[in-house]
Amino acid sequence: MKLVLVLFALIGLSYGISSKISHAKKLEELQRTKLGQAILNLVNLHSLVQGPIQELIETIEELIQDINNNMEDVQYKFSMRTNEHNSFIVQVSQQLQDADQDITRMIDVIDNLLIPRKDQITNRIRSLIENDEFNRKNLDEIILLRDQENQAYQQQIEEDNDAIDAVDDAISLVGSLSNPSLLQIKNFKFTLKRLSSKQWNRVNQGPMVQALLQIALNQNFADSEILKQIIDSLNEFRNQIVEAMNDLTKQEQFNQKEYLERLNQLEDEHHEFQKQINQAQVDLDVTTQKLNDCNKILIQREADRIQYQQQLDLENETYVVDTDIYNQNFNQLQIELPIAEQGLSLIKSADFSDIKI
């Protein structure tokens, strides 16, 4: 019986020593942190004023509840921040993707549609202008040629009329040359000189008439038969000149008709060239305006893309900072919670009154 009592005494003594060692370790751990020191200061202040132990316990329990609430609040706010971050990333990423698509589409339209079309229209206008200038050159040339042809015609008609007058005078003189005087012969020779070699050779009858006239002159117009042949030949010569004049007039009328037709053709071509040039210029203006508009859109969308990328970069950087702040706060609360619980456990211990702080 005495042995049993001794054993119980030894066990009780051992438990008391172990409990004091455990409380001392808890005190040491609390003193290592600011929150633990604050709890110990609160306990010390409470012991100095000798307040009820239950109030101290309730205060520590409220602190633990505040830590738990703060942890929940930090987690909730970070969860909301994460949702906002993800939503913002999705939205701006879509805007960035849309900007990339618009940029690609604008570059394709500009490089593969508008610029080639502008070059094509510009080349067409240049070609039409060259054709129109060639048309005007042809017009000037045929006007000059027609003027030269008409002047030659007028000159030939004038010469032919002079020739007819000279032939008529010659026929009249030959008819009056029976035993001519020297003055009559002189007048006749003067009349013949009015006919140039060109006019004598203009018709087939000319050379023969000249030969007969030379014979008559040599015979001093004494042979009436030769005079008769001369008159007949001069009349034939005159008729041939008139016929040549008629042919020349017909040719002049034909040339004038061709000239007017060609003139109308060139004017029609000129008007068509001008019409096509004006239409091409309208197309060029429209295409140039579209090109300018697309370049403005391209510049704007490239600026939008830079802005969206900057927004994404800034948001990601901000979110990294917010995540670090969250981790620091949450980790701090995770550290403070067991400290507060350890302080509460220490205060609730059975021999709290024996602990020296």
Side-chain angles (χ1 to χ4, degrees):
M1 184 66 178
K2 289 181 179 180
L3 180 59
V4 173
L5 293 173
V6 171
L7 288 174
F8 277 123
L10 290 173
I11 292 173
L13 178 62
S14 175
Y15 176 80
I17 295 172
S18 175
S19 177
K20 289 184 178 181
I21 292 174
S22 176
H23 289 320
K25 184 177 181 181
K26 289 179 180 181
L27 284 172
E28 182 181 354
E29 291 177 352
L30 287 174
Q31 288 174 347
R32 291 176 182 174
T33 65
K34 292 182 178 180
L35 179 62
Q37 293 175 1
I39 292 174
L40 291 177
N41 290 334
L42 181 62
V43 171
N44 187 38
L45 179 62
H46 188 275
S47 64
L48 290 176
V49 298
Q50 297 181 352
I53 190 63
Q54 187 60 34
E55 290 183 1
L56 182 60
I57 292 174
E58 290 176 356
T59 300
I60 302 301
E61 287 178 344
E62 288 179 0
L63 175 62
I64 293 173
Q65 185 61 41
D66 288 342
I67 293 175
N68 285 320
N69 291 339
N70 287 336
M71 291 178 66
E72 292 178 358
D73 184 61
V74 168
Q75 285 181 313
Y76 174 76
K77 289 181 178 180
F78 183 71
S79 175
M80 294 296 295
R81 177 67 181 91
T82 300
N83 291 337
E84 292 175 358
H85 168 75
N86 292 335
S87 176
F88 182 83
I89 293 298
V90 170
Q91 177 184 354
V92 178
S93 295
Q94 183 61 50
Q95 291 174 333
L96 182 62
Q97 182 179 352
D98 293 342
D100 285 335
Q101 292 175 351
D102 289 343
I103 291 171
T104 301
R105 181 170 58 86
M106 284 298 101
I107 292 176
D108 180 65
V109 170
I110 291 172
D111 292 344
N112 299 322
L113 180 62
L114 294 180
I115 290 181
R117 177 168 176 75
K118 182 180 180 181
D119 293 341
Q120 180 184 16
I121 296 174
T122 301
N123 292 334
R124 174 169 171 75
I125 291 176
R126 185 181 298 112
S127 177
L128 287 170
I129 291 176
E130 290 175 354
N131 291 337
D132 191 49
E133 290 175 348
F134 183 72
N135 172 279
R136 295 294 88 186
K137 180 180 178 181
N138 284 340
L139 180 67
D140 293 339
E141 289 177 353
I142 68 168
I143 290 176
L144 177 61
L145 180 61
R146 179 85 280 271
D147 184 60
Q148 292 173 347
E149 289 177 346
N150 183 259
Q151 289 180 6
Y153 164 75
Q154 296 294 342
Q155 182 178 354
Q156 186 62 56
I157 291 297
E158 183 179 354
E159 291 176 357
D160 288 343
N161 284 326
D162 290 342
I164 290 174
D165 291 340
V167 170
D168 288 341
D169 291 342
I171 291 173
S172 176
L173 287 172
V174 171
S176 64
L177 288 177
S178 57
N179 297 319
S181 64
L182 291 176
L183 180 61
Q184 287 177 317
I185 292 174
K186 184 178 180 181
N187 290 334
F188 181 74
K189 288 181 178 180
F190 178 76
T191 300
L192 292 179
K193 286 182 178 180
R194 290 165 59 188
L195 298 171
S196 65
S197 60
K198 174 184 175 182
Q199 291 169 326
W200 282 117
N201 295 324
R202 180 168 168 72
V203 295
N204 296 330
Q205 196 69 16
M208 187 181 70
V209 174
Q210 283 183 305
L212 290 172
L213 289 172
Q214 189 62 46
I215 293 173
L217 286 171
N218 291 338
Q219 295 178 357
N220 203 25
F221 299 97
D223 191 338
S224 61
E225 185 63 29
I226 291 178
L227 293 177
K228 182 178 181 301
Q229 290 181 13
I230 289 174
I231 291 174
D232 291 340
S233 297
L234 285 173
N235 282 321
E236 181 63 25
F237 178 69
R238 184 184 189 280
N239 291 336
Q240 288 183 359
I241 291 177
V242 171
E243 185 178 351
M245 290 176 65
N246 291 335
D247 292 341
L248 185 63
T249 300
K250 289 180 181 179
Q251 184 63 44
E252 171 64 15
Q253 292 173 347
F254 178 77
N255 290 343
Q256 180 66 16
K257 179 182 177 183
E258 278 193 333
Y259 163 74
L260 293 176
E261 290 176 352
R262 179 60 176 156
L263 197 66
N264 290 333
Q265 178 186 0
L266 289 174
E267 287 297 333
D268 290 342
E269 290 177 356
H270 172 64
H271 292 151
E272 182 61 26
F273 285 142
Q274 289 297 312
K275 178 181 177 181
Q276 293 183 20
I277 289 172
N278 292 335
Q279 182 58 51
Q281 186 61 51
V282 171
D283 294 341
L284 179 62
D285 293 341
V286 171
T287 301
T288 301
Q289 184 60 48
K290 289 182 179 178
L291 182 60
N292 292 337
D293 293 342
C294 287
N295 279 323
K296 290 180 181 178
I297 294 174
L298 177 60
I299 293 172
Q300 180 60 51
R301 295 307 282 159
E302 287 177 340
D304 292 341
R305 189 193 185 285
I306 293 174
Q307 179 182 355
Y308 297 147
Q309 187 62 56
Q310 290 175 342
Q311 290 177 347
L312 282 177
D313 294 341
L314 178 61
E315 171 60 20
N316 286 327
E317 292 172 1
T318 303
Y319 183 70
V320 168
V321 173
D322 291 343
T323 301
D324 289 341
I325 294 174
Y326 160 74
N327 289 331
Q328 292 174 8
N329 291 337
F330 190 76
N331 291 337
Q332 182 63 32
L333 291 172
Q334 283 184 317
I335 293 172
E336 291 177 353
L337 181 61
I339 292 174
E341 291 175 342
Q342 191 173 18
L344 180 62
S345 175
L346 179 64
I347 295 171
K348 286 183 176 182
S349 61
D351 50 352
F352 170 70
S353 58
D354 295 335
I355 299 176
K356 293 182 180 180
I357 301 173

